[in-house]
Amino acid sequence: MQPGKVDRQPSYVLHTQPYKETSLLVEVLTRDHGRFTLVARGARRPRSDLRGLLLPFQPLQLSWFGKGELRTLHVADWRGGVPQFAGERLVCGFYLNELLLRLAPRDDPAPELFKLYDRVVRTLAGDVQFGNVLRRFELDLLSLLGYAPMLAADAGGQDVVPEGYYLCRFGELPQRVAPIERPSAHGCVLPGASLLALAAGDLSQVQTRRDARLLTRVLLDELLGQQPLATRELLTTLYALAE
């Protein structure tokens, strides 16, 4: 048996790039082994069985061997069930992948993260409002990574009230402010009603979804640093995110 061999692991391809003359480097998210890079040897050859399999947003079962930063892909099997993405749906999918590539730790087993991604990919494949799906994914991702904001109580130890307004910043409890106040650097002012709805997981109202977008932008920007997301700029031009 080859060292470090893993068989038939549920997986998704997040990104591929050419490697040497005929191979690919494949960034994958797996159920039980987290995110890491595989070498798909010969995958770029015209007759390779892998050419039509190593696609994003397609449920796969992967087998590989080896240890360290680069493991070697052995077998890829298509699990089916998700149609090919196109148009706005495709850009939304790339946004999910870019977030994971930037934020998900490498070689960190995260079955719940894989479950979240699998669920969102399958949801995106349906007839849905893409913006709503992305907001839920952002909030759930922040929660799984340990950065979920506490939204039901404020910095003074009081319960958030629907009629109040609150300054929200990364790593801090909401701070109640006058409604005319403008956000300081790295923050946004949101109504208490939206914070309470988000705390309850309720994105049914248009205003809540708009405020969720402001909040997740603040939180994600802090985590992403100075390098912007390429897909975010494209998404802002698409009607799929218009409320």
Side-chain angles (χ1 to χ4, degrees), residues 121-203:
V121 165
R122 294 177 187 276
T123 301
L124 274 179
D127 184 15
V128 294
Q129 292 290 326
F130 298 139
N132 298 356
V133 177
L134 296 188
R135 296 295 82 76
R136 289 186 182 278
F137 176 77
E138 291 166 343
L139 291 167
D140 289 343
L141 177 62
L142 287 165
S143 179
L144 287 176
L145 294 177
Y147 298 108
M150 300 294 291
L151 301 176
D154 67 18
Q158 303 297 312
D159 291 340
V160 167
V161 294
E163 64 273 15
Y165 285 82
Y166 297 85
L167 173 62
C168 300
R169 291 185 289 206
F170 182 85
E172 300 179 13
L173 289 172
Q175 178 182 346
R176 189 163 183 177
V177 296
I180 60 172
E181 287 191 37
R182 296 292 180 263
S184 61
H186 310 296
C188 61
V189 174
L190 302 179
S194 290
L195 296 185
L196 291 172
L198 290 173
D202 180 5
L203 287 170

Side-chain angles (χ1 to χ4, degrees), residues 18-19 48 55 64 67 92 95 125-126 138 153-155 164 171 212 220 223-224:
Y19 180 66
S48 172
L55 302 174
W64 65 85
K67 298 181 179 181
C92 290
Y95 177 69
E138 291 166 343
D154 67 18
L220 290 172
L223 293 171
L224 294 168

Side-chain angles (χ1 to χ4, degrees), residues 17-25 39-45:
Q17 65 183 72
Y19 180 66
K20 298 186 176 179
E21 292 186 3
T22 62
S23 301
L24 285 174
L25 291 179
V39 177
R41 301 196 183 280
R44 295 164 59 206
R45 292 188 178 123

Side-chain angles (χ1 to χ4, degrees), residues 59-75:
L60 301 173
Q61 281 188 330
L62 301 181
S63 302
W64 65 85
F65 59 87
K67 298 181 179 181
E69 291 188 5
L70 286 182
R71 278 146 270 190
T72 300
L73 179 64
H74 179 55
V75 176

